[in-house]
Amino acid sequence: MSMDDRDQHDPNEPDVSRRQFLRGLSGSLAASAVLATGVEAVPLSPPSPPEPLEPPLAVGPRIKGQVKVRLNVNGQVKTATVEPRTTLLNTLRDDLGLTGAKRICDRGSCGGCTVIADGETIYSCMMLAVDAQGKKITTVEGLGTPEAMSPLQAAFVDHDALMCGFCTPGFVMSCTSLLKHNPDPTETEVKEACAGNICRCGTYPRIFEAVLAAAKRMRGE
Amino acid sequence: MKAFELVNPTDVSGAVSALTAAGREGKLLAGGIDLLSEMKEYIATPSIVVNLKAVSGLNKIESSAKGLKIGALVTLSDIAKHPTIAAKYTALAEAAESVASPQIRHVGTLGGNLCQRPRCWYYRDEHVICLKKGGSKCYAIEGENEYHAILGGGPSYIVHPSDCAPALMVLGASVDISGPKGNRTVSLDKFFILPTENLYKENVLEVGEIVTHITVPAPAAGTTSHYLKIRHKESMDWALSGAAVALTAKAGKVTSAKVVLSGVAPVPWRSPEAEKALIGKQVTTAIADRAGAAAVAKAKPLGGNAYKVPLTRNVVRLAVLHAAGVKG
Ligand SMILES: Cc1cc2nc3c(=O)[nH]c(=O)nc-3n(C[C@H](O)[C@H](O)[C@H](O)COP(=O)(O)OP(=O)(O)OC[C@H]3O[C@@H](n4cnc5c(N)ncnc54)[C@H](O)[C@@H]3O)c2cc1C
Ligand code: FES
Ligand code: FES
């Protein structure tokens, strides 16, 4: 494994990552060493063959390089070109324009990227896009619109259950899933459903209130 | 994350051969919750990832009079909500329920939970080449060590992060392993290995080997079990200290006791000392406290984790009382 191979543009990293920046530095150091010794730089590997125009579908026994995934998101089948290492979160955000799921920790610790897959909440940052094929994915965009919010979304607004709002889509997904499975939760059950979501602004009490109120409304009480 | 080739075998032998062929360049992917973290941090840099998810026959819980057979791909949430597991193998259901968050339990598998890598922050830092990564030093000894081992430590002081392992161990579980040399069954008691035996892995798995199933014998009549876990952040965290306890009692006296600790040693830590304090006794608060004291008698804390000694003593005491159904 060469250094370059390791650092090849990582679709999971922001455009200029710390790694790429460091690599840029070491690259220029290497170049000046070549100049100083007068040794000519030889390309490490032969130029790669041109990419096929249409990447293959990401199915089958071995998947490598650029591949096309077909994802069922919010009831629609969408395709995107990814690599095996691309996460579902980055595909949603960068390729499908669904930026509701937030990339915060990218390590399965904060809940900002929560989506529902086949009826259960998951962290989309911890699932490969190729592995999300065949699952029914729901993101916050699939729940309601600003004009026609879901009852839970409306309750978040009514109860002022957010401050900066960055964590909100994740909480909304966790609690939407809770209310699907359990229309009459206790406050403890709401807290358990939110155990994998963190709010740095500390809006928890308002969130719990909103969920209980939405549950009540959805039950018609 | 480094680019990799993803291999999708559909049966165990295909997974074993792909993994064996990949050798040190290969990694096995189950739920991916741990492996993807390691890859994002460049702690693991496989060029071939063997995806276990499409392998058939590994996602079922089979329950019979003989016991449980759980496929390695069964998720933690499926274990936590299985009625028979909750009723008869209580410590396992409680342990699975205590892992991380709902989002992780929906994806994380039992096989992955047992085989996950340590969470030591020096090990997990790409830029620190510690003892476990071929370096010459365990930085926890002189560094920030409040989450590290108080028992069985040295030369590395990681703690084993699995909650399910101690619960399965007190229930007498073993793992079925498939590998390039065939199949073998290993008792979980012998599955995990200390850093003195091997610094670079936490269990006996060799290159190309895969855990396919976890089997748990049906508990003897009169057996109760419990897993208690104390964490820094109650909502979602690894154990600062935890204890799994299984007790079999006849006529009010303990005939068999198993105590295994989490969060305090480089392996799920069996405590024969605590077990000895319980066997032949009727569980009372005094006996439970004696078991707790025995469990930590040999503890050697580092600079920042002495709090784990009284904590563990009390965790064992409370877990024993709860398993025995005695009010503390
Ligand atoms: C924020 C956070 C909190 C967490 N909290 C806890 C906690 O409180 N308690 C706890 O126990 N864990 C915790 N975990 C750790 C862990 O991710 C989960 O326990 C989970 O069960 C891992 O399962 P997986 O299927 O996702 O594993 P993967 O990531 O797929 O695999 C983990 C490792 O095991 C190997 N492996 C997987 N399956 C097999 C197999 N069948 N045979 C051989 N090797 C295999 C993989 O190669 C990899 O090295 C936490 C993780 C995160 C990110
Ligand atoms: S971004 Fe996925 S859990 Fe934090
Ligand atoms: S509202 Fe700001 S993080 Fe939750």
Side-chain angles (χ1 to χ4, degrees), chain A residues 10 61 85 107 121 125 131, chain B residues 1 8 40-41 53 106:
Chain A
D10 182 341
R85 62 179 162 171
R107 296 292 183 278
T121 52
C125 71
D131 270 340
Chain B
M1 213 185 303
N8 290 311
K40 288 178 184 192
E41 299 288 347
K53 279 192 238 40
H106 290 146

Side-chain angles (χ1 to χ4, degrees), chain B residues 247-269:
Chain B
L247 301 174
T248 310
K250 229 186 210 150
K253 292 234 165 84
V254 174
T255 54
S256 158
K258 294 260 187 69
V259 178
V260 178
L261 310 177
S262 57
V264 294
V267 293
W269 187 257

Side-chain angles (χ1 to χ4, degrees), chain B residues 170-194:
Chain B
V170 299
L171 296 169
S174 43
V175 288
D176 296 340
I177 298 168
S178 282
K181 294 188 196 138
N183 300 338
R184 57 180 178 141
T185 297
V186 178
S187 152
L188 265 195
D189 266 336
K190 302 224 161 71
F191 181 70
F192 298 103
I193 53 177
L194 283 167

